[in-house]
Amino acid sequence: METKIYKVEEVAKMLRCGKTSIYELIRQNKLRCVRIGRKILIPEMFINEFINNGGAKIC
């Protein structure tokens, strides 16, 4: 099974938020991510986890 991984910009479009909101959610540890150097990537399972925990109301 392949795991889809998204950039911050892509997640912002999916959740209909701004990039700044996504960065803030990551900073507050409300949305988990993977950091590779300066790059921030968000696996699909972390997005689903965020939505299932009711986090989508924040955006």
Side-chain angles (χ1 to χ4, degrees), residues 3-55:
T3 301
K4 292 186 179 183
I5 300 175
Y6 299 97
K7 296 178 185 177
V8 170
E9 295 82 10
E10 296 170 318
V11 175
K13 284 183 182 180
M14 278 192 256
L15 298 179
R16 297 182 181 171
C17 294
K19 290 189 302 185
T20 306
S21 297
I22 300 301
Y23 286 119
E24 185 65 19
L25 291 169
I26 292 168
R27 190 186 69 74
Q28 295 172 354
N29 295 319
K30 293 181 180 180
L31 176 61
R32 297 194 303 156
C33 69
V34 175
R35 293 177 190 262
I36 300 174
R38 294 185 65 189
K39 186 178 275 192
I40 296 174
L41 301 172
I42 306 164
E44 186 174 37
M45 71 176 161
F46 291 173
I47 298 166
N48 292 335
E49 177 183 279
F50 173 73
I51 292 169
N52 291 335
N53 288 333

